[in-house]
Every structure is written in structure tokens, then in C-alpha cells.
Amino acid sequence: MTRSFKPYPFAPRHYEGAAPPLIDGNDPVRRPVAIVGGGPVGMTLALALARQGVRSVLIDADDSVCTGSRAICISRRSLEILKRLGAVQGFLQKGLPWTGGRSFYRDTEVFRFTMHHDDEQSLPPMINIAQYQIEQFLLDELERHADLIDIRWQTRVTGIEQSDGSDAQRGATLALRTGDTAWRMQADWVVACDGGRSTVREALGLKLTGTTYEGRYVIVDIALHSERATERLAYFDPPSNPGSTVLVHKQPDDVLRIDYQLRDDEDPQAAIEPDNVIPRVQSVLDAMGETGEWSPIWITVYKANALTLERYRHGSVLFAGDAAHLVPIFGVRGANSGIDDADNLGWKLGCVVNGIASPDLLDSYSDERVFAARENLSYGMKSTEFMAPPTFGFELMRTAVLGLAEHHPAVRPLINPRQTHPIAYVESPLNRVAADGVQAAGAVPVASRFASGPAPGSVLPECRLQRISDGKTVDMHVTDLLAPRFTALRFGMDASQDAEWQRIQDDLASRAIPFNTITVVDTDVKLGADSTAVIDHSGRLHHMLDATPGTVYLIRPDGHVLARWRDGTAAATHSALIAALNIRSKERQS
């Protein structure tokens, strides 16, 4: 149920749908990867594959990017992913950065939170940007890779059939319809990014499991010029809307997003009628002191779900984003977790398609992202139970917390919205396989323990660094070192190992495995004008990674740590990387 009114200050381009040249109703070109769904997740995946040189076709039922703000909060982790994929600039130019928010009970402020942000960070902890803008910036980037990404607009999936046989013979046939033309496409791999009502998921007879909440929210985008700061505002039982919970977010281009909870006795269909929405919104604006003229743009109803598939790989079909899991909007984990899915799957599927990894590597995508989904669902459910209490008991507890919070700081953390955060794959099979691969190869003795720092499966932390360029010192960040490739961070200048590192670099390059070695030094090391080393001028990276001369961190293409050694070698790095790409999982059926 959705209502659209005044056009946004944004005019999407519209595209004609067209089937490719067909032979007996079949696309004669077998596609390496077919991505169903052209939202943020599908577009990010197509871009991630293109960065690996992998061709894909993106299939979307619409003729343009979406309407409505939908997902509006993009996290620092998602921005890091977009930065690594070369698509972040538009987001930073258009998005409104914010670092925290405030919560009110009736007319009293009862909680204030701030997300981590300091001068060491290259990206804000969160930006507000409407989903139609997200999709347009991603689409602009995809069009720059038109040689690798084919977009099929106004094309619906009507069925899917998988092939049996070995990995080499596997694939799927999609039944499609573009206008009046029914046609079929064969693909080695199909990725379903087609949202909460996934046609692919339904066609395969798969079900999401978990919790569905009865509480509903009306979501309203309005055109309004406001001078207020960008922050998350939450109002519990406000005098303007008694008994309701209201969320407010400022968006770019003079758009304000207001979410308000419906009472149990309100009809959702009637609730989105303008005659019912306008007075509720006006009362919120009056209470906020917003006196400017406004008009509604887009209205819809939202119902919280905490659901997931048990596995995200089913033969040659993989699931990502809302097609794989539905996460409550509270804590902004929906689109952000989907972008993380695409990042995780993109490098793994790219390695498989390029023939440098076993298809079993894709099982680790399912393992890691199902784990992440369950963690996101755990946080999301706690937030939902506070924002929209599902029972009288939860409502009683919330009322007590809010009533005590003004004078009792100890209870205020219970109001925390639990914003999204990077998830460490602590139990990932890749961690074990990489370690076992090193031991089996006899590459290094057992490494000494780390006292701190990111363990395998964790996201590499951010901080400022420097490098020498044309004889001048240039500022940079850790995220500037990362790209869609494996990266070995060597701490210290040990010239005696340079030849061995060059040998493994050459070997991996000959196998078309994306890999780079970066040397990190402290300020005591004197570098020449043509040095490629990176300078940890403050010592912060050494401290955060518990690194000493000889330490090596091997980073995955998605920015997670694959392995680390106190006294690392090129041979250990090589063995861990090869073992991860050739992961085998005999106990698990694909």
C-alpha cells in the first residue's frame, strides 16, 4: 500500500524493456551470472563482479530506479564497501552525515547517543540519503561498466529450473517475460536479489523463518525546508501523537522522513489516506517547531519482520538482501546488511567464475552471512520490541524504562536503538581452512599469540596513514589501501624477504589471483622518494593491530582479516590464500 503525490526533487530516467535477440525463444548467450533484482543489493553485486572482470546480466521488473525514500540510512561499513568498489563519491556529496540522535518521552529528552567518530575516520558513521538516490548513483557507476553489465529493464522472472550434475555442468534456466515476449535465459549462477517478495525464492519453494510483528508504521516523505541538524529523532508517546512512537530523519533536497506507529485499532489501508496522514504529520511538525509550508510526497505502511532463510546457497542459486532475510528497520540494518551480502558474495562468486576458486567457496558465503543475519536479527528484534512492543509485558517494561530514564542514567542504555555495526565472522570456515592450509604446507611454525587486534573474520579498523609521493608526504587512510583483491600488510622493512614476497606475488599474478603486498613502517624508518611503503606516523595502526616488525595480516577482498601471524612469511601467506580459495566442504551438500 503506497501513495505518491508531488514529484521528488529528482527525476529518474526511464528505460525501455527489451529481450535480447532470441533463437526459438531462448537467449543464445549463456550468462556467467544472472542477478534478479535491480535494487541497491543487486546493483552492488553487479559492480563487485565487474571489478573482478566478471560479466553479469541484471534483471529488473521496473523501468527506472525506485520511488520513495525506503532505505535512507547508509552506514560507515556500507560506505567503506562503496569506496572499495569506486562508487562512494556521489554518496558523500549528496548524503547528509550524522553521528547520533536523541529520544524523547512525551516532551522530555531521556536519551542521547553518539556513534564513534574521530579524526582517524575517513567516512562518517552514517549518512541519510534516499533509496532512489542510492540506486541512481549505483546505476551511474554500472553504466560505466556497460561492457561487463547488461541491464534488462521491464523483465519479470516467471520461473526457474536448475540443472543437475557436477559443478561444471550446473546452472539454471530462467523463464522471463518482457512485455508480451516470453523467453528463457541460461546462466551458470543465479543470484536472487529480488526483495522480500522474492519470485525466485517462491519458485524454489523456500520459506523464510523467524518472527513477524503485528505493529505497523506509516512512513511519510514530505517536502519541507528545515534548518535543523541531521540526527535521529525518536518521540515516545508525544503530546502531538499520544500513544504513538514517531521517528524523524532529515533527507537531502529538503525532504523530511516521518515514521509514526499506528494504534492496534487503526486500519492500515485507511491510515495512508491523505485526510488521515496530513493532520498526524502536521501535529508532529507543530511539536517540533517546524512552521514552513510542506506537502506530502510519498506514503506507505511498514510492518516489522525478523526472518531469514536457513541457507543462502541452493545449488546454482544464491540469495542476498531481502530475498534472503528481512530485518526490522530499527537500527538501519536492512539495506546495509544487503550491501554487505553483495560485498561478501561478489569476490567469492567472481573467484569461482574466473576459475581460481572451488565452488565450495560459495558455501562460506552462506555460512558467514546467515551468521550475520542472525546477529542482525537479534539486535533488530530487541529494537523492535522497544519501538513497537508486541505484548502488554513489553509495553509495561518500556513505559517503566522511559519514565525512569530522565532521572536514572543507568536505565537509559535500554533506549539505545542499537545501530548497525560491522560483524566479525568469528566462526567462518575460511578462518579454519586458512590456518589448516598453512600448517599442512609446513610454511611456518606455530605463531605466537596476539594480545589484541582484529582476529580472523574481523573487519580491518580505520586510521590515518601517510605515504611518499613525488618526494612529498601525502595523507591517506587504511581504507585507501584496500581494493577488491587480497592484501598482505607487512610490518617492517625486512629486505631479506623481499625476493620471496616478489616470488609469491608473481605466482599469484600468473594464476590471475588478485593480490597485493603493502609494507607498513613506523616513522623511524627512512624511506626514499620512490618508496611504495606506507608510514604509520602516529603508531596507531601498529597499536590497533598489535603489530611488531615481522607481523603480517592477510586481508580478504571484502576487508575482513583472513589470517595473521606475529612472524609472518610469504610462504605462509601464499598457503593460507590458496587454501581458502580451494575450500572443500564434503559434509555439506551444495
Side-chain angles (χ1 to χ4, degrees):
M1 294 179 289
T2 298
R3 297 283 187 274
S4 295
F5 300 91
K6 174 183 175 181
Y8 282 94
F10 167 85
R13 299 191 297 271
H14 292 269
Y15 298 85
E16 293 292 332
L22 303 174
I23 298 177
D24 296 329
N26 293 289
D27 182 349
V29 179
R30 184 182 177 97
R31 312 290 180 138
V33 181
I35 303 169
V36 182
V41 179
M43 290 188 185
T44 301
L45 177 60
L47 183 58
L49 291 170
R51 292 298 302 270
Q52 303 260 358
V54 172
R55 296 179 181 277
S56 66
V57 56
L58 189 65
I59 300 166
D60 195 82
D62 292 327
D63 67 348
S64 71
V65 300
C66 74
T67 58
S69 58
R70 302 175 191 264
I72 62 168
C73 300
I74 297 298
S75 69
R76 175 182 284 140
R77 171 61 183 162
S78 293
L79 293 174
E80 289 176 355
I81 292 168
L82 295 168
K83 179 179 180 179
R84 200 178 335 110
L85 297 177
V88 77
Q89 202 56 44
F91 288 80
L92 297 178
Q93 291 174 348
K94 175 61 71 173
L96 301 180
W98 55 282
T99 59
R102 295 179 291 154
S103 297
F104 298 82
Y105 179 46
R106 295 176 179 159
D107 55 2
T108 302
E109 182 177 321
V110 293
F111 180 70
R112 184 178 296 222
F113 74 91
T114 302
M115 296 175 285
H116 172 67
H117 189 62
D118 57 31
D119 291 340
E120 298 294 321
Q121 306 301 316
S122 64
L123 298 164
M126 201 78 69
I127 65 169
N128 282 352
I129 182 170
Q131 184 167 324
Y132 55 82
Q133 294 164 326
I134 294 170
E135 292 185 7
Q136 188 62 62
F137 286 131
L138 288 171
L139 180 58
D140 292 344
E141 189 63 30
L142 262 59
E143 289 176 341
R144 287 189 272 272
H145 296 271
D147 57 325
L148 292 170
I149 303 170
D150 180 15
I151 304 177
R152 292 288 156 181
W153 297 99
Q154 294 182 296
T155 299
R156 297 183 178 277
V157 173
T158 58
I160 183 170
E161 182 178 343
Q162 293 202 67
S163 305
D164 295 326
S166 66
D167 285 331
Q169 297 172 321
R170 278 184 174 166
T173 300
L174 288 167
L176 304 167
R177 179 171 291 278
T178 305
D180 295 330
T181 304
W183 55 290
R184 292 177 297 277
M185 173 193 294
Q186 289 187 321
D188 296 332
W189 299 95
V190 173
V191 185
C193 304
D194 52 342
R197 297 184 178 90
S198 171
T199 301
V200 176
R201 189 181 65 227
E202 183 178 351
L204 293 181
L206 302 174
K207 301 294 183 183
L208 299 172
T209 61
T211 303
T212 295
Y213 294 90
E214 292 302 319
R216 286 178 167 83
Y217 273 75
V218 171
I219 300 176
V220 189
D221 289 344
I222 66 171
L224 170 71
H225 176 73
S226 173
E227 297 294 339
R228 69 176 49 248
T230 305
E231 59 182 341
R232 176 192 184 271
L233 297 174
Y235 300 91
F236 297 95
D237 192 20
S240 61
N241 280 260
S244 180
T245 301
V246 180
L247 297 174
V248 180
H249 279 280
K250 186 178 181 180
Q251 298 184 57
D253 298 329
D254 289 334
V255 175
L256 202 67
R257 158 84 168 258
I258 298 175
D259 303 18
Y260 60 84
Q261 185 181 13
L262 294 179
R263 297 186 304 272
D264 292 341
D265 60 353
E266 290 186 269
D267 175 22
Q269 181 66 51
I272 64 172
E273 294 298 329
D275 288 347
N276 293 319
V277 171
I278 290 174
R280 296 280 284 268
V281 171
Q282 186 63 61
S283 66
V284 171
L285 297 176
D286 290 343
M288 294 173 61
E290 294 287 355
T291 59
E293 293 186 5
W294 66 276
S295 58
I297 303 174
W298 180 76
I299 304 171
T300 192
V301 170
Y302 168 78
K303 182 178 180 180
N305 293 292
L307 307 169
T308 182
L309 289 173
E310 296 297 321
R311 291 187 297 126
Y312 297 167
R313 181 188 175 192
H314 294 263
S316 300
V317 182
L318 301 116
F319 291 83
D322 285 356
H325 47 74
L326 290 173
V327 184
I329 60 172
F330 312 114
V332 298
R333 290 177 172 81
N336 289 301
S337 64
I339 290 172
D340 225 336
D341 288 347
D343 187 42
N344 188 299
L345 179 57
W347 75 265
K348 294 174 180 177
L349 186 53
C351 287
V352 171
V353 172
N354 285 332
I356 59 177
S358 161
D360 288 340
L361 178 63
L362 298 175
D363 287 326
S364 74
Y365 161 71
S366 180
D367 290 333
E368 291 177 353
R369 294 311 299 164
V370 168
F371 171 84
R374 296 198 184 284
E375 186 160 331
N376 280 323
L377 290 173
S378 174
Y379 283 105
M381 290 170 70
K382 291 175 182 177
S383 297
T384 300
E385 287 162 356
F386 196 88
M387 297 300 299
T391 66
F392 175 75
F394 278 105
E395 186 172 0
L396 192 65
M397 181 202 70
R398 186 181 79 168
T399 300
V401 168
L402 292 169
L404 291 169
E406 181 182 2
H407 301 293
H408 297 276
V411 304
R412 291 173 190 166
L414 296 174
I415 308 173
N416 194 324
R418 300 176 179 87
Q419 300 294 95
T420 183
H421 63 279
I423 291 176
Y425 307 135
V426 292
E427 300 296 332
S428 170
L430 292 186
N431 304 343
R432 183 191 69 252
V433 167
D436 291 348
V438 172
Q439 186 173 358
V444 288
V446 177
S448 58
R449 294 184 179 275
F450 286 80
S452 60
S458 302
V459 173
L460 199 65
E462 178 75 302
C463 75
R464 289 182 179 273
L465 300 169
Q466 293 178 337
R467 61 183 175 84
I468 304 297
S469 178
D470 296 328
K472 298 180 181 178
T473 300
V474 178
D475 291 330
M476 62 181 306
H477 289 83
V478 170
T479 48
D480 296 319
L481 304 178
L482 305 181
R485 65 191 176 203
F486 292 93
T487 303
L489 299 181
R490 291 178 60 194
F491 287 82
M493 300 280 286
D494 185 354
S496 66
Q497 290 194 21
D498 287 352
E500 181 66 9
W501 280 100
Q502 187 59 54
R503 187 188 69 77
I504 73 155
Q505 183 105 21
D506 294 342
D507 175 72
L508 294 172
S510 70
R511 305 185 191 203
I513 296 174
F515 175 78
N516 190 37
T517 302
I518 296 172
T519 300
V520 182
V521 300
D522 57 29
T523 52
D524 293 333
V525 178
K526 303 300 181 184
L527 300 176
D530 59 347
S531 175
T532 59
V534 171
I535 307 166
D536 182 17
H537 59 289
S538 67
R540 186 178 178 92
L541 186 61
H542 280 74
H543 174 72
M544 289 195 303
L545 272 58
D546 189 22
T548 55
T551 295
V552 173
Y553 272 76
L554 177 57
I555 313 302
R556 304 172 1 169
D558 57 8
H560 288 258
V561 176
L562 178 59
R564 61 177 179 168
W565 302 270
R566 174 68 68 199
D567 298 304
T569 65
T573 301
H574 185 273
S575 297
L577 196 161
I578 295 299
L581 290 178
N582 288 282
I583 184 173
R584 292 290 173 185
S585 185
K586 295 180 181 179
E587 74 278 8
R588 186 182 291 108
Q589 291 184 352
S590 298

